[in-house]
Amino acid sequence: MTSAIKTSNLGKWYKKGVRGQKIEALVDLNLEVREGEVFGFIGGNGAGKSTTIKILMGLNRPTAGQAFIFDTRIDDPAARDRVGYLSEHPQFYDFLTPLELFRLMGTLRRMEGKRIHQRADELLHLVALADASNRRIKGFSKGMVQRLGIAVALLGDPELLILDEPMSGLDPLGRHLVANIIRELQQQGKTIFFSTHIIPDIETLCDRVGILVRGHQKYAGSIHEALYPQGSRFEITVRMPEQWKVEQSSFARKPLLWQKNVLYRFEIEETEIAATVQAVMDQGGSVATLEPKRRSLEELFLQLSEDSVPNLGDAVPTTVS
């Protein structure tokens, strides 16, 4: 299968000050985004997310390594023919209206006037800006500009969407709208690669995720593997007789997560499942639920970030995003 995006030991560093201090923004990034998937890219400020995206879009040159879009090297402008892009802080000529902006962008793309008009109508309805199609962009809120930016990124009907913080500045309704657009685009066979600080959006929208910490890739894999790692513990909810007392049972030493009336939830090891179920039945109870203990993506991100925090005595230069 062709990769929509692939990087090999991609790196970017800068020199700062009269002494030429080396500032590493991105170090040995090996990333693959598969066709048809939604891939989330997360990291703190200065982690290297925007640096990566700018390199992919030809706005910044890598210092080391290679990157490809649909198997075409990124130093070939043709690599971006099938890409729609939203920058972290989209800005447009604010004296234009959305319709005028689409005419300008469509002309630059050498699209026919009829096709530009058709796409403008479709996309402005898609991002809930149809009623503002003839208003000057100058009067738009930040959220409206963000949604307009997404519409412009979709103008050429791209196969790959690269979105830098697409949820930035959006209220809950705007986030819900954009989330639905991303799901719909995936159903159409599009590939979406986006960065965000809003970790719950990654959990609900993405097939796979990459985590950057201080310019280093710390995790790349499926959302399921991130939330339910191998060897994780399980949570079992059991319904026990009314007279049953946990402190007088074989469950006394198991971690009790919560209890309500005759329902009890315990945390157990995977190897304890069979014996625990048998013990519940032997004591007159029944199993209500059994599921892997879920960790949040935020917990994984914080763990990886803490593991990368240097000793207090280390001198660490500030990176750029």
Side-chain angles (χ1 to χ4, degrees):
M1 177 184 293
T2 302
S3 300
I5 297 172
K6 189 170 185 178
T7 70
S8 176
N9 298 319
L10 194 65
K12 181 67 180 179
W13 61 81
Y14 304 86
K15 289 186 178 181
K16 180 180 179 181
V18 294
R19 295 184 179 181
Q21 183 184 25
K22 184 178 179 180
I23 308 294
E24 293 184 323
L26 195 63
V27 183
D28 292 334
L29 179 67
N30 292 288
L31 196 65
E32 182 179 12
V33 179
R34 302 162 185 165
E35 282 192 271
E37 74 176 357
V38 179
F39 191 101
F41 206 38
I42 61 176
N45 293 328
K49 305 184 305 297
S50 291
T51 296
T52 302
I53 289 176
K54 288 176 181 177
I55 288 173
L56 292 172
M57 294 308 302
L59 301 174
N60 211 336
R61 291 185 178 182
T63 312
Q66 295 180 326
F68 303 84
I69 295 177
F70 294 116
D71 291 340
T72 302
R73 287 174 57 103
I74 57 168
D75 53 9
D76 182 349
R80 286 169 287 279
D81 287 346
R82 299 153 67 183
V83 178
Y85 169 58
L86 174 72
S87 66
E88 183 178 6
H89 303 292
Q91 294 182 334
F92 306 108
Y93 296 117
D94 60 9
F95 56 85
L96 296 178
T97 67
L99 285 179
E100 291 169 341
L101 177 65
F102 274 106
R103 292 192 196 104
L104 171 62
M105 302 304 293
T107 301
L108 292 174
R109 282 184 168 271
R110 299 180 181 178
M111 297 172 61
E112 295 182 356
K114 184 177 180 180
R115 177 61 175 163
I116 296 173
H117 181 78
Q118 177 187 1
R119 288 294 287 168
D121 183 63
E122 293 172 355
L123 294 171
L124 289 173
H125 276 90
L126 181 68
V127 299
L129 288 176
D131 292 341
S133 61
N134 287 301
R135 285 175 50 189
R136 300 297 174 194
I137 297 172
K138 184 177 182 179
F140 281 17
S141 68
K142 183 178 180 180
M144 293 172 71
V145 171
Q146 194 75 8
R147 284 185 279 134
L148 179 61
I150 293 172
V152 171
L154 291 168
L155 178 60
D157 195 20
E159 298 173 47
L160 167 65
L161 268 294
I162 297 180
L163 311 175
D164 197 355
E165 298 286 351
M167 304 295 187
S168 177
L170 297 178
D171 59 20
L173 289 176
R175 284 178 55 199
H176 178 71
L177 173 68
V178 173
N180 284 338
I181 290 173
I182 289 175
R183 293 188 184 100
E184 182 179 334
L185 291 171
Q186 186 181 29
Q187 290 176 358
Q188 296 172 13
K190 312 290 188 185
T191 304
I192 299 96
F193 174 78
F194 74 94
S195 70
T196 184
H197 285 101
I198 306 172
I199 294 180
D201 289 336
I202 298 283
E203 294 184 4
T204 58
L205 290 172
C206 296
D207 303 299
R208 293 196 305 132
V209 62
I211 298 177
L212 284 184
V213 178
R214 303 179 69 83
H216 295 262
Q217 178 179 304
K218 292 297 182 178
Y219 179 85
S222 75
I223 291 293
H224 185 272
E225 290 172 352
L227 301 182
Y228 302 100
Q230 285 189 338
S232 62
R233 297 169 67 85
F234 279 69
E235 292 183 1
I236 185 170
T237 304
V238 299
R239 183 179 288 104
M240 304 304 290
E242 290 188 7
Q243 67 276 15
W244 187 77
K245 301 294 183 182
V246 62
E247 62 273 11
Q248 300 174 5
S249 72
S250 59
F251 288 81
R253 294 186 178 181
K254 295 187 185 298
L256 178 64
L257 302 179
W258 60 261
Q259 182 265 325
K260 185 175 183 181
N261 299 325
V262 296
L263 290 175
Y264 300 80
R265 173 168 287 188
F266 297 95
E267 183 178 318
I268 62 175
E269 299 285 352
E270 185 174 2
T271 55
E272 298 177 305
I273 292 176
T276 301
V277 171
Q278 186 62 52
V280 169
M281 296 174 63
D282 291 344
Q283 296 173 52
S286 61
V287 176
T289 64
L290 175 65
E291 56 190 5
K293 183 177 175 63
R294 183 185 185 279
R295 70 177 175 189
S296 71
L297 195 57
E298 183 175 3
E299 288 174 332
L300 174 60
F301 172 67
L302 291 175
Q303 176 188 331
L304 294 173
S305 298
E306 290 169 359
D307 290 345
S308 299
V309 173
N311 295 325
L312 292 177
D314 293 343
V316 178
T318 302
T319 58
V320 294
S321 65

